């Protein structure tokens, strides 16, 4: 069963979540400040982290940033207030999902299940194979993207989005499907975020290497194509 780390300084919330997760069969550890949370995230190597934003020691944002330098573990952030800038910053730092406190435990459990299931390119990492489109190669195990052998640095979401499209080369994928498979239902209905991340990928991949891989299919979605193929 999956190992879950809860980083939360409010002991009552931490214990409550621990109890519920243990009841579901997860193995759970609690860290009560940011520093301890970071140490445990790196040493214990949980399968998922539930990370409070407001923490003594190191902030949740800082913990998230540092964990991301080492690991792609799914992170669900807890925010006390529905503050858009905090939310955006958390997601920029590589959090996979967020929840605003107070939250229903059933919803957190559902999001944990989704995050654990969500897989690179829609496959488990164990099944993951290298994906190649033209001279662009994506390695799900090494979490690297290269063009003619030169690495292209991407954020986790950009990587996941590119992986999903590359696994379906030549196949048009709708915004709704991308939103569902790459982001999950924290973003239900907000397909603008897909367009935003496609733009990031165009800047970081297409424009940089001078090849138009990412194509827009007007009114439908996106498709990735080999450079030699025509529209
Ligand atoms: Ca807190």
């Amino acid at each position: 069963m999956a190992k879950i780390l809860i980083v939360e300084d409010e002991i009552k919330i931490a214990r409550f979540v621990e109890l519920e997760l243990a009841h579901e069969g997860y193995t759970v550890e609690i860290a009560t400040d940011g520093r301890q949370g970071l140490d445990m995230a790196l040493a214990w190597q949980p399968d998922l982290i539930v990370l409070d934003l407001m923490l003594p020691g190191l902030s949740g944002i800082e913990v998230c940033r540092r964990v991301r330098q080492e690991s792609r573990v799914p992170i669900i952030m807890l925010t006390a207030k529905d503050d858009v800038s905090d939310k955006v910053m958390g997601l920029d730092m590589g959090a996979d999902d967020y929840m605003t406190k107070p939250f229903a435990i059933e919803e957190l459990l559902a999001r944990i299940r989704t995050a654990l299931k969500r897989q690179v390119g829609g496959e488990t990492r164990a099944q993951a194979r290298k994906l190649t489109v033209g001279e662009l190669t994506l390695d799900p195990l090494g979490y690297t993207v290269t063009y003619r052998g030169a690495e292209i640095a991407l954020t986790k979401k950009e990587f996941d989005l590119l992986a999903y499209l590359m696994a379906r080369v030549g196949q048009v994928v709708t915004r709704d499907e991308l939103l569902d498979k790459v982001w999950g239902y924290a973003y239900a209905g907000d397909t603008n975020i897909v367009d935003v991340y496609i733009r990031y990928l165009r800047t970081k991949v297409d424009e940089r290497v001078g090849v138009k891989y990412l194509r827009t299919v007007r009114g439908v979605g996106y498709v990735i194509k080999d450079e030699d193929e025509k529209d």
Side-chain angles (χ1 to χ4, degrees):
M1 205 52 180
K3 298 193 294 184
I4 299 180
L5 174 64
I6 301 166
V7 189
E8 168 63 88
D9 58 314
E10 287 167 73
I11 294 296
K12 275 168 76 176
I13 295 178
R15 291 278 177 234
F16 173 64
V17 174
E18 178 190 32
L19 206 67
E20 294 289 333
L21 291 177
H23 182 72
E24 296 290 310
Y26 297 113
T27 304
V28 186
E29 292 286 344
I30 295 175
T32 54
D33 67 56
R35 175 69 57 187
Q36 188 193 7
L38 178 62
D39 290 346
M40 287 177 70
L42 301 180
W44 189 49
Q45 305 209 329
D47 298 299
L48 183 141
I49 301 173
V50 177
L51 177 62
D52 187 33
L53 189 75
M54 305 287 278
L55 291 168
L58 286 175
S59 74
I61 296 281
E62 188 59 18
V63 173
C64 187
R65 193 182 69 79
R66 296 205 200 170
V67 169
R68 272 292 166 264
Q69 292 171 346
E70 308 286 331
S71 153
R72 299 279 175 168
V73 60
I75 297 174
I76 298 177
M77 277 217 158
L78 303 178
T79 64
K81 48 189 188 288
D82 196 6
D83 185 322
V84 173
S85 64
D86 284 346
K87 185 176 109 186
V88 169
M89 202 188 295
L91 295 169
D92 280 351
M93 289 303 152
D96 295 82
D97 201 350
Y98 67 91
M99 292 197 71
T100 305
K101 288 197 260 185
F103 53 84
I105 190 70
E106 293 77 17
E107 192 180 353
L108 178 63
L109 292 174
R111 290 191 185 196
I112 287 172
R113 282 193 295 272
T114 302
L116 287 171
K117 261 190 289 181
R118 199 175 301 142
Q119 299 139 345
V120 172
E123 300 181 341
T124 63
R125 291 194 66 206
Q127 295 171 299
R129 62 192 195 281
K130 271 192 186 178
L131 302 169
T132 302
V133 176
E135 306 218 47
L136 193 65
T137 300
L138 180 145
D139 177 3
L141 294 176
Y143 281 107
T144 53
V145 174
T146 52
Y147 178 79
R148 292 184 180 169
E151 190 166 343
I152 298 172
L154 298 177
T155 66
K156 183 175 186 297
K157 273 297 169 232
E158 291 162 355
F159 182 92
D160 290 347
L161 176 59
L162 186 63
Y164 196 84
L165 288 167
M166 286 181 71
R168 290 157 187 79
V169 59
Q171 190 181 319
V172 180
V173 183
T174 66
R175 288 178 176 81
D176 283 336
E177 180 178 342
L178 290 170
L179 195 64
D180 183 41
K181 301 294 188 193
V182 179
W183 277 271
Y185 57 97
Y187 298 85
D190 186 13
T191 54
N192 285 338
I193 195 151
V194 176
D195 302 331
V196 169
Y197 274 79
I198 289 283
R199 278 206 295 279
Y200 293 161
L201 280 182
R202 285 201 165 119
T203 304
K204 290 187 176 180
V205 181
D206 287 17
E207 286 173 22
R208 175 163 160 206
V209 307
V211 178
K212 195 179 164 195
Y213 285 113
L214 292 152
R215 317 287 179 98
T216 304
V217 181
R218 205 175 292 276
V220 183
Y222 297 100
V223 58
I224 197 160
K225 285 190 174 177
D226 195 336
E227 57 186 307
D228 298 328
E229 292 177 42
K230 297 290 167 241
D231 279 315

